[in-house]
Amino acid sequence: MAFSASAANCSSLSLSQLQSSSLIFRPYPLFFFPSSKKRFQGHCSSTRCRRLLTTSNAASNGAAIASDLDNPSSSYGRLYFPLAAVVGQDAIKTALLLGAIDREIGGIAISGRRGTAKTVMARGLHAIVPPIDVVVGSIANADPACPEEWEDGLAQLAEYLSDGSVKTQVVRSPFVQIPLGVTEDRLIGSVDVEESMKTGTTVFQPGLLAEAHRGVLYVDEINLLDESISNLLLNVLTEGVNIVEREGISFKHPCKPLLIATYNPEEGAVREHLLDRIAINLSADLPMNFEDRVAAVGIATQFQEASNKVFKMVEEETEYAKTQIILAREYLKDVTISREQLKYLVMESLQGGCQGHRAELYAARVAKCLAALEGRERVNVDDLKKAVELVILPRSIINENPPDQQNQQPPPPPPPKNEDTGEEQNEEEDQEDESDQENEQQQEQIPEEFIFDAEGGLVDEKLLFFAQQAQRRRGKAGRAKNVIFSEDRGRYIKPMLPKGPVKRLAVDATLRAAAPYQKLRREKDIQKSRKVFVEKTDMRAKRMARKAGALVIFVVDASGSMALNRMQNAKGAALKLLAESYTSRDQVSIIPFRGDAAEVLLPPSRSIAMARKRLERLPCGGGSPLAHGLSMAVRVGLNAEKSGDVGRVMIVAITDGRANISLKRSTDPEAAASDAPRPSAQELKDEILEVSGKIYKAGMSLLVIDTENKFVSTGFAKEIARVAQGKYYYLPNASDAVISATTKEALSTLKSS
């Protein structure tokens, strides 16, 4: 959900007409600060703080201050909806406000379906982030107060005043968005080709991470971001410094922006370990009442028709919030949290089932930011509760079935009443105890009860829906084989040193590698025949990546009286999967086994027409060579993986687990002689289990659909699934729809594992 408007369309309505319109709604107040500002004002005596307070919005990152940008409506181009005008979403707006106070809070992730104002709130934060004081000439917005964090070489390149202080300027806080198709060199930085060719030395060109330092780094649809890019991004943000060692470059610069990530869970979940490294994970899918929905439509319509009027309505709140953020940043340095309060956060994390220590670490930082926001030196009860709701609750594992009240122990009996002679003494002792408790509460400020009970359930039922929304958007941990890397096909993701002949030349990386040597090579060129000199050692190859589909191999028992039904169901399930395989790039193969051997009736294919043609004939009857069918499925899967088009292989065996043909007889025609000894039932089972073990060792997944409908079941099909560490379903009368649904469910689990 994003709103934009042009400033040229805002002069048609007067302010009185705008306020009298029935579609005009006063936005809800966003920022709740303490009424007394004396304590804040006392902590902004430094020259730097006063300079930031008296400076209005500056120009874009790296530019000088521009006075014509004081009013957002005066700028040309797209205008973003102000955060103060967003209706509802109090938890997310509070989290964004805390992130503006402390950029190192750990990041904020916002999930939600379409049209829930995720992007609107993320972009709206930029208007309330105060300007920053930077060193003139810095490529990474270096902080003048922290020379130990300056990028390499800045101390020699910086300009100094007559008094010895470094020359600085106040600029607008940067807001950098990471596009989904960003490459590694654009993210972390690479060689500046033009400057390197001029100087004859390797010159570093900063990337997006350098531009975002001390600002906001926004990632839209982080669930669709390349896995290697997201891992690299989080590693740099965790360390707070970007170290570049590539293409002859050795450079280091600070990188401490506020990370804001948004995503739609319907388009794919975010990996669980990635969310664990982001401090605050909130959902924008919370229900909204009728009045709030009407107010949201009204303010959005008003912004589209006359955006400058909306900016004027929230101008006072925005400027006040910007001032209070600057003051809260100064006051945050003096906020303390006691050991007993840390114990409370740790206990909440333990009872909530949070893994690791990040939950309580992030919660303690959030609690201190909340105290600084209200001008207090100590963290209080409300800060702790809010920190648990923002940080620990979304990470928790909620027990939605608490134990029955009948099994709980009754409360202890009240103490016996004292005699009248000791009443006065007891009253004095009670008064002393109460005064001691009040003093302890003022010093410690710990909630009287936990949000989580001992069994992991929520004490407050109002928070249950909030926790359920957080659990629904969790992804799976681990690295999925859904992407295939090669040197000839796919999307260009990064350059690499070639291994043998170069199939696809990475022109950009090749020029970067050759740029520092151009000046020297021109001097050696007597004939002056070329302008650019590229040698074999400069060449770089492209590393390509493309989406990998899965191969589903149906191994169908075509022997016996029920063979025709099994084949018809397998055919229907295969066609259903092929009809939905266009976006997922999945392939389907069918291998029936009957008589003395198995055959590939349908080779791996995504073509529905080919499948219909190949499956017109359905051979049935004869023996049951189950071992040969599974062995041939493994061979087909390995060949498909070598082709480079398949990332996952899943074998779906539709059988009753009964076999009477050995693998040797299927592969060796001479063994089919009438005088050859027949293998025993145990030998056939051992042979099948050995092939099942090879399926697991080959990295393939097995799904066994047991169709045995006899009164006395052997249970051998379940044993096959156990040895291959696959899944087992007993569906004696399964239709093609049931088989297709079961296969899709198992395939979805396989892809996300």
Side-chain angles (χ1 to χ4, degrees):
M1 180 180 182
F3 302 116
S4 63
S6 175
N9 299 328
C10 302
S11 59
S12 59
L13 294 177
S14 64
L15 182 61
S16 59
Q17 292 174 339
L18 192 64
Q19 292 175 345
S20 61
S21 174
S22 59
L23 291 178
I24 303 306
F25 295 87
R26 177 66 178 173
Y28 289 6
L30 167 64
F31 309 111
F32 301 95
F33 296 101
S35 57
S36 177
K37 310 186 187 72
K38 295 181 180 179
R39 304 180 71 184
F40 272 109
Q41 295 171 355
H43 282 76
C44 197
S45 58
S46 63
T47 304
R48 182 186 180 195
C49 184
R50 291 197 303 268
R51 185 184 182 191
L52 293 178
L53 283 174
T54 57
T55 304
S56 61
N57 290 344
S60 60
N61 181 22
I65 301 173
S67 59
D68 59 343
L69 291 181
D70 291 350
N71 186 3
S73 62
S74 64
S75 60
Y76 176 78
R78 183 177 181 182
L79 302 177
Y80 295 106
F81 196 80
L83 183 62
V86 176
V87 178
Q89 306 292 357
D90 294 335
I92 296 178
K93 290 188 289 188
T94 301
L96 293 174
L97 195 62
L98 298 177
I101 295 173
D102 185 6
R103 291 186 299 269
E104 300 180 35
I105 200 171
I108 303 167
I110 306 173
S111 68
R113 295 189 294 269
R114 299 182 297 272
T116 52
K118 305 184 299 296
T119 304
V120 169
M121 290 185 286
R123 292 187 180 277
L125 176 66
H126 190 210
I128 66 173
V129 176
I132 57 176
D133 197 13
V134 302
V135 178
V136 175
S138 173
I139 63 173
N141 305 317
D143 190 352
C146 301
E148 68 278 1
E149 294 183 357
W150 290 1
E151 67 263 23
D152 292 345
L154 180 60
Q156 293 76 24
L157 298 176
E159 302 178 21
Y160 293 89
L161 302 177
S162 58
D163 59 353
S165 60
V166 67
K167 187 177 181 180
T168 63
Q169 65 176 351
V170 177
V171 300
R172 190 176 184 182
S173 182
F175 185 93
V176 178
Q177 181 172 354
I178 302 295
L180 292 180
V182 67
T183 56
E184 182 178 327
D185 59 294
R186 183 68 185 99
L187 180 68
I188 66 175
S190 60
V191 176
D192 190 331
V193 177
E194 183 178 358
E195 293 297 325
S196 298
M197 292 180 67
K198 290 179 180 179
T199 60
T201 58
T202 304
V203 180
F204 177 71
Q205 183 180 29
L208 296 177
L209 293 180
E211 299 176 15
H213 178 52
R214 301 178 64 200
V216 178
L217 186 65
Y218 176 51
V219 184
D220 193 13
E221 306 295 347
I222 192 174
N223 54 332
L224 304 181
L225 190 65
D226 184 74
E227 187 173 329
S228 61
I229 295 296
S230 62
N231 292 337
L232 177 62
L233 175 64
L234 287 180
N235 287 336
V236 173
L237 296 181
T238 302
E239 297 176 1
V241 60
N242 180 26
I243 302 176
V244 183
E245 300 283 351
R246 50 178 293 170
E247 299 172 343
I249 300 174
S250 180
F251 193 83
K252 179 176 67 174
H253 68 81
C255 183
K256 296 181 179 180
L258 169 64
L259 174 64
I260 301 178
T262 59
Y263 65 97
N264 184 357
E266 295 177 351
E267 298 177 354
V270 181
R271 288 173 295 151
E272 189 173 346
H273 91 93
L274 192 147
L275 283 180
D276 182 65
R277 299 175 69 174
I278 299 178
I280 302 176
N281 301 284
L282 300 175
S283 174
D285 289 333
L286 299 179
M288 187 180 268
N289 57 41
F290 179 77
E291 290 76 12
D292 287 348
R293 292 183 69 113
V294 174
V297 174
I299 194 66
T301 305
Q302 178 183 355
F303 183 77
Q304 293 173 352
E305 296 176 352
S307 60
N308 60 338
K309 305 302 188 297
V310 177
F311 283 118
K312 289 182 180 179
M313 291 170 58
V314 298
E315 181 179 4
E316 182 179 355
E317 292 181 359
T318 302
E319 292 300 323
Y320 180 59
K322 191 181 300 184
T323 302
Q324 294 302 84
I325 290 173
I326 297 176
L327 298 173
R329 286 178 178 179
E330 294 294 322
Y331 203 78
L332 180 62
K333 304 172 184 177
D334 301 327
V335 178
T336 59
I337 183 171
S338 67
R339 183 177 179 84
E340 295 299 323
Q341 291 172 335
L342 291 177
K343 289 181 179 180
Y344 168 78
L345 294 177
V346 172
M347 185 59 67
E348 289 282 20
S349 300
L350 292 175
Q351 293 182 353
C354 299
Q355 299 180 359
H357 304 288
R358 288 194 176 102
E360 51 263 33
L361 289 174
Y362 289 143
R365 193 145 194 163
V366 168
K368 293 174 67 176
C369 288
L370 288 167
L373 183 61
E374 296 189 358
R376 286 182 277 101
E377 295 180 353
R378 295 178 180 272
V379 174
N380 65 7
V381 174
D382 295 334
D383 299 334
L384 294 176
K385 290 184 177 180
K386 193 65 177 179
V388 172
E389 295 178 11
L390 293 177
V391 180
I392 299 179
L393 184 60
R395 300 167 181 266
S396 62
I397 302 175
I398 305 300
N399 182 14
E400 301 182 11
N401 297 319
D404 297 335
Q405 297 181 357
Q406 297 178 356
N407 298 331
Q408 298 180 358
Q409 297 180 357
K417 296 182 179 181
N418 298 327
E419 298 179 357
D420 297 338
T421 56
E423 288 182 356
E424 296 180 358
Q425 182 179 0
N426 292 335
E427 289 178 359
E428 294 178 356
E429 293 177 356
D430 292 339
Q431 291 178 358
E432 293 177 358
D433 293 338
E434 290 177 0
S435 61
D436 294 337
Q437 290 178 0
E438 290 177 358
N439 294 331
E440 291 178 0
Q441 289 179 359
Q442 290 178 359
Q443 295 178 359
E444 300 298 341
Q445 289 290 325
I446 301 176
E448 296 180 356
E449 60 182 10
F450 292 96
I451 293 180
F452 297 96
D453 57 21
E455 289 78 17
L458 284 174
V459 178
D460 188 358
E461 296 181 356
K462 296 180 181 180
L463 299 176
L464 182 59
F465 179 81
F466 182 79
Q468 291 173 344
Q469 291 291 327
Q471 289 185 348
R472 288 195 184 100
R473 63 177 182 268
R474 286 180 179 172
K476 298 291 184 179
R479 182 178 179 88
K481 294 172 58 178
N482 297 330
V483 177
I484 296 178
F485 299 99
S486 66
E487 298 181 18
D488 53 353
R489 288 186 294 165
R491 178 176 60 87
Y492 173 39
I493 57 172
K494 62 185 296 185
M496 58 180 293
L497 290 173
K499 300 178 181 179
V502 179
K503 297 181 180 179
R504 298 285 296 274
L505 181 67
V507 180
D508 56 340
T510 302
L511 291 178
R512 287 197 298 267
Y517 308 102
Q518 295 304 302
K519 188 175 181 180
L520 180 62
R521 292 173 184 175
R522 287 198 196 101
E523 294 175 354
K524 293 182 179 180
D525 184 24
I526 302 176
Q527 299 178 356
K528 305 295 181 181
S529 58
R530 291 182 295 174
K531 294 183 178 181
V532 180
F533 296 86
V534 178
E535 298 181 358
K536 188 176 182 180
T537 55
D538 302 328
M539 292 185 179
R540 300 292 186 267
K542 288 184 176 181
R543 181 173 174 83
M544 318 289 285
R546 64 182 184 274
K547 188 176 180 180
L551 173 61
V552 180
I553 304 175
F554 288 95
V555 181
V556 189
D557 188 355
S559 64
S561 59
M562 298 296 292
L564 184 59
N565 291 337
R566 294 196 201 101
M567 289 297 298
Q568 290 285 0
N569 294 336
K571 173 183 176 181
L575 294 178
K576 288 180 181 295
L577 289 177
L578 287 176
E580 302 175 1
S581 66
Y582 178 76
T583 56
S584 60
R585 299 179 180 269
D586 295 337
Q587 301 183 36
V588 173
S589 176
I590 292 183
I591 302 178
F593 59 92
R594 67 179 188 92
D596 292 336
E599 62 173 328
V600 181
L601 186 61
L602 176 65
S605 172
R606 292 198 301 263
S607 173
I608 298 180
M610 179 181 178
R612 293 185 185 276
K613 183 177 180 181
R614 291 295 189 100
L615 298 178
E616 286 182 355
R617 63 181 189 89
L618 300 175
C620 301
S624 179
L626 176 57
H628 190 228
L630 296 176
S631 178
M632 183 168 289
V634 174
R635 192 179 306 114
V636 171
L638 292 176
N639 292 335
E641 289 181 340
K642 291 179 181 179
S643 67
D645 292 330
V646 173
R648 301 276 191 175
V649 177
M650 186 174 71
I651 301 174
V652 181
I654 306 177
T655 178
D656 56 4
R658 299 175 182 270
N660 52 20
I661 304 297
S662 65
L663 184 60
K664 182 178 180 180
R665 182 176 177 180
S666 301
T667 56
D668 187 6
E670 297 180 358
S674 58
D675 56 345
R678 297 177 62 86
S680 63
Q682 187 61 38
E683 291 176 348
L684 291 174
K685 290 183 177 180
D686 294 341
E687 192 176 57
I688 294 173
L689 294 179
E690 182 180 358
V691 177
S692 302
K694 292 181 179 179
I695 294 176
Y696 173 72
K697 293 179 181 179
M700 303 179 188
S701 177
L702 178 64
L703 172 63
V704 179
I705 298 179
D706 191 356
T707 60
E708 188 175 21
N709 55 5
K710 294 186 178 181
F711 180 75
V712 179
S713 176
T714 60
F716 186 62
K718 190 173 184 179
E719 181 69 13
I720 296 174
R722 186 192 65 80
V723 173
Q725 298 192 21
K727 291 188 175 183
Y728 170 82
Y729 292 95
Y730 179 68
L731 303 172
N733 299 316
S735 61
D736 56 348
V738 174
I739 295 177
S740 175
T742 305
T743 304
K744 285 191 291 185
E745 180 184 356
L747 188 61
S748 177
T749 305
L750 175 65
K751 288 182 178 180
S752 61
S753 62

